[in-house]
Every structure is written in C-alpha cells, then in structure tokens.
Amino acid sequence: MCGITGYAGYKEAAPVLLDALKKLEYRGYDSAGIAVLAAQPLENSPSGNRLFVRKAKGPLSVLSERLSHETVAGTLGIGHTRWATHGEPSDVNSHPHTDVSGRIAVVHNGIIENYARLKEWLQARDVVFLSDTDTEVIAHLINYYYKPESGGGLLGAVLETLKRLEGSYALAVVSSDFPDRLIAARKDSPLIVGLGQGENLIASDVTALLAHTREVCFLEDREVAVLYRDHVDLFTGQGEKIIRAPTHVDWDVEAAEKGGYAHFMLKEIHEQAKALADTLRPRLKETTTGRDISLDEIKLGDNWAAAPRVVITACGTAWHAAMVGKYAFEHFARLPVEVDIASEYRYRNPVTNPDDLFIVISQSGETADTLAAMRLAKKSGARILAVTNVVGSTLAREADLSLYTWAGPEIAVASTKAFTTQLMCIYLLALKLGKLRSRITDADYARYLKALAKIPEQAAAVLAKQELIQKFAARHFNKGKVFFMGRQFDYAVSLESALKLKEISYTHSEAFAAGELKHGPIALVDTNTLVVAIATQTALFDKIASNIREVTSRGAASLVITWEGESAFAAIADEVFTIPKTEDCLSPLLSIIPAQLFAYYCAVQRGNDPDKPRNLAKSVTVE
Ligand code: F6R
C-alpha cells in the first residue's frame, strides 16, 4: 500500500508534493521520491531534459533533507511514498521510475501481477531494467508505445500500456515532452483528483488534497485523468471523454486519514477484503489444465516438498495464524506440524532438523522473540521461510525465503488484516505442498482453489453485516467475562478472538478448545459470562451444540458464529451470526471477522481508544 500524489498548478511543485507525501506517509514509509518538470532544462542535460527526479530510501524526512540542499523551479510533478512489495527498500527501487530515454517518470501504488512476463517481453526488445520493481515495466511500456515522431501522444501511450497491465494500479505519469500535464489512472487502488483554483492535484487519499481543495473527483476503475493547471479531462480506458460533477468533501483531516472511519482499526478490518485479494490473486494462476497456485517467489521445489515435518513459530496474533497453519498443513499436505510460541522455542532445547520446513510468521518482521527463535533454528541448519508483511525487515533479510502478505501497513496496534493475510499465505503454502506431495486429489485441489478465489468477496459480505455485531456489542460489552470456544480450526480462531477482545476492550476473555470445558473452565461460567461459540466444522456440530447447552444452562449468554443457512444453533443460542459458506477448512478466513468487529465495538462502547490500547506497542522489538 503505497501513497501517490501529483500536482499541476502555479506553486512550486516540490514543496506541495512533499507536503502531500507527509499526509500519505502512513501508507508506506520505506522510501520516497518526487519527479518535477523543471522550468528550465537541467544542468548537465545535453538533451535539454527537464525531468528532475530525486528519491531516497528511508522515511520521507530523508528525502526532504536531501531536497533542502537543492532547489528546483517547476510547477508540475508527481510523488510517491513506498511500502515495498516487489524489490526491497532501496534508492533504486524507490519511485518515480523512469524509462530508458529519461523523459517519462511514473509513480505507482498497487501490484502488477504480470510484470515478470512484461519484463521478459521488454528485455527481449533490449530494454535494460534498473530496479527489481514491478512498476518499472510501466515506464518502459509507455516509452515503447510513445511515438512523438508519428504524432502519437502521451495519453495514447498510457492507454495502450494500461491495456497490458494485469493487477492493481493507481499511477501518475509525467513526461518532459509535455510539461503542462500529468496523467493519472486507476484500477483496484484508490485515486482521487482534487480540483483547485488554478491548480489540480491527485492523491491516494483525500487527506493529501484538503490543504488545497474540498472539490474532488473519485476516479473509478479503469478511468484516466489528464490534469492541467486550469482544468482536468477525464477519460474511460478506451479514451472516451467523461463528464462528472465534483464531490464536495467536508471531512476533517483526522477523519480523512482514516478514510472516513472512526479508527484505523475499523479501517483495517474493512480493508481485509482487498488485502486478501491482493495477497491471493497474483498467486492464483489460470493454466491450460485449470487453476494452480504459483509461489514463484519462494521456489517451492522438491526440497521443500520433501520436508518430513513443518515447524512454525511466531508471537501473539501471528502465533494464532500458526495454529491455523497446524490444522491446514495436516489437512492438505498430511504433514506433521509443530507450532511453538517464539519466546518458548528460543529458551527450550528444541529438536530442530536441517530438513524441517521451518516457518516464521511476523507482521513486522522485527519481533525480538521471533527473530531469536529464527536464529536458533538457523543454527540447527533448518531452512527458514518467513511469512511477513514488511519487505526488507530483519526477518525477511535473514530468512532463506520470504512469502509476503500484501496487507499494506497496519497502523492500529491490534492486528487484523495482517492476520487474515497471514492465513491466506499459509493456506496457499499448505495447498501447494499437498499438491506437490500428491496428498490431495486434482478434484479436491480445484475445489479448494475455487473456494479460495471467492474468499475476498465473501469477506466483503461479512463486513457488510457489521451493524449486527455493533448492536450485539452494545448489549454485551459490559460482561465480566467473555469466553470463546471452538473445535479444531474454530479453536484457533477462538484464540485470536479472545486476544483481540482482551487487548482493546480490557475485558477478561479466554479461549477454550470446546471439549476442554468440562475439564475445568466450566467452573468459571456464570450469569456474568458471554460465551461465543465458533461453529464451522460441520462434522462436529453436535459436539459444539452440547457445549453451548452446557454454558447456557449455567446462565451464560451466547453467540454462535456459523454458516449461512445453518439452523442447528437457532434454538439453543441467544444470537447467531452467519458467514457465507466456504469449505469448512477455510473458515478462519471469514469467521475471525465478526470477532474482530465485536472486539472493536466493545472497546468503543467502553470508551477505549482501540488504535492505542494501554500497555501495548505495535512492534515488540525488545524482550
Ligand atoms: C495482537 C498483536 C500482537 C502481534 C505480536 C507479533 O493484535 O498485534 O500479538 O501479533 O506482537 O507481532 P509480529 O507479527 O509483528 O511479529
């Protein structure tokens, strides 16, 4: 999730761009850059080129510092703040990216799924690439289609290029041949045009525009905008002109940063449908023989497929993703799995073998206990596969291979979209290993992939029902104790649900494997208790139904999270919240969402700030 911006006006562009990038920095902060069309040809530019590009690894302050020593006069430009996905954070991988002629500069937010094929295609035409990014193909393609000598303009070249891109993009393009305009386009990544007085702007979100204007145009998918200082033209992807009245926004800056949501946590809960799609879709390939999972980035060859055992270690929410992983690897790949809390693993005397597939999960890639566990495993000769959200993090650098969650930066302390995207990566791995190890039939594989492909839209459907959870939370937020229970995959989700609730609402909450109730925890159940049963494992419905009866007969209030159309719990629970039907073994991807919403609304009802829970830090880099 990067942030992009652009300016065409009468003010000096560089400070305007830096200011907008400051507002967008929450979207990514591992590098930043700008391109400005200088008013005069640049020094040392024999071609008379006026494209001034500066970019730097690190937070925006590094770029600002660098720019404070030079001046560039120019009133048109584009800017970018990066959250790395393809290519580690570095000066060269920072945006803007330029074409071989150095005339065209591009900034981009999104993922170009077919970039490897496009890169090969361009390389076969002698194009030399400088970076490891997916974005660079865009600059070279525009140059390829840009034929000023035959009258072909920049807009035509951009439209031709867009036809070849698969994946998501919000992008902005400038060319030194057209110092009066910038071109912007979007598909599946946000982009807003701000309409000012003698100046027009674009940005990934409204926050970056509010200092200049409150009249905006939200670009729709596949639309293109051409911005001049005095007007903006909108086009369809086919180049037909569109007329659209601007929208007036009266959000304050703080609300705008959160996309109109009251808190980052709620915004991130809602971003899950997109984050799941971003993590899944580039890895789900249509082949001539049907759908397949392609994990090219980790070259999951025979070595890994032959591993006799999987070991997974992590902390907190990431450990709960590991727990889901245990069930998933057993189910799909028939592999024995050991799951360990990193702070336990690092101080045990664990038996780790060089041929184990050792997976480490961490959103930040910087958690001290997780890194220590990974280093200990490395000493045993194990090969480390990192599942992380942060390209270039310590974990990503030290692991043998990394599989990235493409959730974008997570600001709220309580992890939500990082968790579901970690699950998505784990499912992809487990399914692929099952296939490579011939532990899964072709028909089952196809069925699971079909179900996986539907998950993003099903997640959106769960989110659309958030009001039901909000109302339920309004009735139960003051319960003294909240217990979550489930069996197998549902037990893993119960663990994560209880953690979410305790960390932001400060309610005493615990998770139990439902079968364990009678071995002790049921003694805690009284009329001040709410029990949330997660019930998606169809074969175990009778068992979990008995557990629900056991707690309600002792005075507990109850909520069941189960499949749409399921009537098994209607008569025995106080409330039933349903999620769209998918395969039982994929349920955690959906069943956690109502629990996240419940935690969020309980925290709000109790007057807590869910984004900044007491005593907790986002990244635990010390012991
Ligand atoms: C809970 C939460 C923490 C983290 C844990 C590990 O909402 O965010 O439990 O999951 O501190 O952090 P990472 O994944 O960065 O290693």
Side-chain angles (χ1 to χ4, degrees):
M1 189 167 85
C2 308
I4 73 166
T5 188
Y7 179 76
Y10 59 92
K11 297 177 191 140
E12 290 303 341
V16 174
L17 295 170
L18 289 178
D19 200 46
L21 290 179
K22 187 87 213 126
K23 304 278 185 331
L24 297 171
E25 208 179 4
Y26 78 90
R27 299 177 64 88
Y29 33 76
D30 58 44
S31 57
I34 60 167
V36 172
L37 259 302
Q40 300 298 329
L42 297 172
E43 269 176 47
N44 307 327
S45 169
S47 63
N49 197 352
R50 300 209 254 152
L51 192 59
F52 170 92
V53 178
R54 285 293 177 277
K55 45 196 202 172
K57 179 182 166 186
L60 182 63
S61 52
V62 177
L63 176 72
S64 301
E65 212 284 320
R66 217 171 270 183
L67 284 167
S68 67
H69 302 294
E70 35 189 355
T71 40
V72 54
T75 57
L76 184 120
I78 54 178
H80 188 268
T81 178
R82 180 165 188 249
W83 178 260
T85 55
H86 293 70
E88 61 171 29
S90 67
D91 283 357
V92 78
N93 286 335
S94 313
H95 300 214
H97 289 281
T98 47
D99 71 316
V100 279
S101 74
R103 284 181 303 189
I104 295 166
V106 177
V107 290
H108 165 225
N109 162 217
I111 295 172
I112 304 303
E113 291 167 14
N114 59 338
Y115 87 98
R117 263 181 287 134
L118 292 172
K119 189 168 177 172
E120 268 172 38
W121 186 87
L122 286 158
Q123 281 168 332
R125 283 153 186 80
D126 298 329
V127 174
V128 177
F129 279 77
L130 300 177
S131 76
D132 303 320
T133 64
D134 51 341
T135 303
E136 198 183 338
V137 298
I138 305 175
H140 295 307
L141 277 175
I142 295 173
N143 179 50
Y144 177 83
Y145 288 114
Y146 176 51
K147 303 276 179 266
E149 51 288 351
S150 60
L154 189 62
L155 178 61
V158 171
L159 292 174
E160 281 308 307
T161 298
L162 297 181
K163 284 184 199 155
R164 299 205 52 188
L165 303 183
E166 287 168 21
S168 56
Y169 54 78
L171 53 88
V173 183
V174 290
S175 161
S176 52
D177 289 347
F178 293 93
D180 63 339
R181 72 197 69 173
L182 79 83
I183 299 184
R186 73 153 269 184
K187 178 181 164 270
D188 295 334
S189 293
L191 194 60
I192 302 142
V193 179
L195 305 162
Q197 300 290 327
E199 57 182 359
N200 293 303
L201 305 96
I202 49 139
S204 298
D205 84 34
V206 171
T207 344
L209 303 174
L210 293 182
H212 305 269
T213 181
R214 287 179 175 274
E215 301 305 309
V216 303
C217 250
F218 293 90
L219 277 195
E220 302 290 342
D221 271 352
R222 296 182 191 281
E223 287 182 352
V224 178
V226 185
L227 281 77
Y228 305 83
R229 60 180 285 183
D230 55 356
H231 74 284
V232 175
D233 292 329
L234 296 185
F235 297 93
T236 65
Q238 283 69 45
E240 288 143 17
K241 251 197 168 165
I242 310 170
I243 306 293
R244 178 169 310 142
T247 307
H248 181 79
V249 285
D250 31 44
W251 297 347
D252 62 26
V253 173
E254 208 194 328
E257 265 173 8
K258 294 171 190 149
Y261 291 100
H263 295 97
F264 280 111
M265 183 179 174
L266 188 60
K267 175 171 179 271
E268 287 162 5
I269 290 173
H270 278 268
E271 280 169 358
Q272 288 180 111
K274 177 164 188 326
L276 283 165
D278 286 348
T279 303
L280 169 69
R281 288 200 180 129
R283 292 155 172 154
L284 211 51
K285 298 278 180 258
E286 300 294 336
T287 69
T288 44
T289 51
R291 270 206 186 98
D292 198 4
I293 295 168
S294 149
L295 299 175
D296 297 343
E297 67 256 59
I298 57 167
K299 298 176 185 61
L300 199 70
D302 296 342
N303 275 351
W304 296 78
R309 182 174 78 139
V310 176
V311 182
I312 320 180
T313 188
C315 298
T317 287
W319 174 65
H320 298 150
M323 289 293 288
V324 174
K326 176 177 173 60
Y327 298 108
F329 281 106
E330 284 177 1
H331 184 77
F332 298 120
R334 305 300 301 140
L335 269 167
V337 185
E338 190 173 331
V339 172
D340 225 327
I341 296 171
S343 56
E344 287 292 305
Y345 179 88
R346 69 180 287 193
Y347 292 120
R348 281 204 284 127
N349 188 8
V351 181
T352 308
N353 303 312
D355 49 2
D356 286 337
L357 167 49
F358 199 98
I359 302 176
V360 185
I361 310 178
S362 170
Q363 186 283 129
S364 61
E366 302 295 348
T367 301
D369 283 325
T370 308
L371 293 176
M374 172 194 61
R375 288 169 186 151
L376 183 61
K378 263 195 139 175
K379 273 196 197 146
S380 315
R383 295 157 300 169
I384 313 291
L385 172 61
V387 175
T388 180
N389 197 32
V390 183
V391 176
S393 58
T394 308
L395 179 62
R397 288 198 311 275
E398 293 187 20
D400 295 291
L401 293 166
S402 299
L403 186 62
Y404 292 107
T405 51
W406 283 326
E410 205 177 49
I411 312 279
V413 165
S415 198
T416 53
K417 61 178 181 168
F419 177 68
T420 40
T421 53
Q422 284 162 356
L423 296 186
M424 187 56 90
C425 284
I426 290 293
Y427 278 119
L428 289 169
L429 266 173
L431 278 158
K432 186 72 187 181
L433 276 184
K435 179 86 165 94
L436 289 170
R437 289 165 51 81
S438 306
R439 294 297 194 279
I440 193 166
T441 65
D442 287 350
D444 283 348
Y445 189 64
R447 189 163 52 84
Y448 290 133
L449 296 197
K450 189 172 172 198
L452 219 46
K454 278 200 203 150
I455 291 288
E457 76 194 54
Q458 292 180 318
V462 178
L463 290 163
K465 298 202 302 187
Q466 73 162 1
E467 226 174 273
L468 297 178
I469 292 291
Q470 186 175 5
K471 285 188 184 144
F472 184 79
R475 292 201 299 279
H476 293 284
F477 72 95
N478 252 341
K479 279 279 182 302
K481 292 165 275 188
V482 179
F483 299 147
F484 292 84
M485 64 176 182
R487 291 169 180 259
Q488 304 189 0
F489 284 100
D490 294 336
Y491 170 50
V493 174
S494 299
L495 288 167
E496 174 59 6
S497 307
L499 177 66
K500 278 301 80 96
L501 186 65
K502 72 178 78 156
E503 65 184 335
I504 59 170
S505 79
Y506 318 143
T507 307
H508 178 210
S509 70
E510 299 295 338
F512 304 115
E516 278 292 288
L517 261 191
K518 56 188 171 297
H519 297 289
I522 200 160
L524 293 170
V525 173
D526 58 21
T527 51
N528 197 18
T529 310
L530 168 68
V531 177
V532 181
I534 308 193
T536 66
Q537 303 305 295
T538 316
L540 298 170
F541 272 1
D542 288 349
K543 305 277 175 206
I544 191 87
S546 305
N547 297 134
I548 296 164
R549 283 193 198 93
E550 280 159 13
V551 294
T552 50
S553 64
R554 284 162 178 86
S558 60
L559 167 71
V560 178
I561 297 172
T562 190
W563 300 124
E564 262 165 28
E566 184 50 62
S567 56
F569 306 102
I572 57 170
D574 296 317
E575 197 116 5
V576 176
F577 183 90
T578 60
I579 54 174
K581 182 73 180 101
T582 182
E583 298 288 335
D584 286 7
C585 51
L586 300 178
S587 63
L589 291 159
L590 301 175
S591 59
I592 189 58
I593 297 174
Q596 293 168 339
L597 286 166
F598 178 65
Y600 170 79
Y601 282 115
C602 285
V604 172
Q605 287 282 352
R606 286 173 159 245
N608 303 345
D609 179 352
D611 285 345
K612 295 193 192 86
R614 69 186 182 201
N615 309 337
L616 295 175
K618 180 69 187 158
S619 185
V620 188
T621 54
V622 290
E623 261 200 88

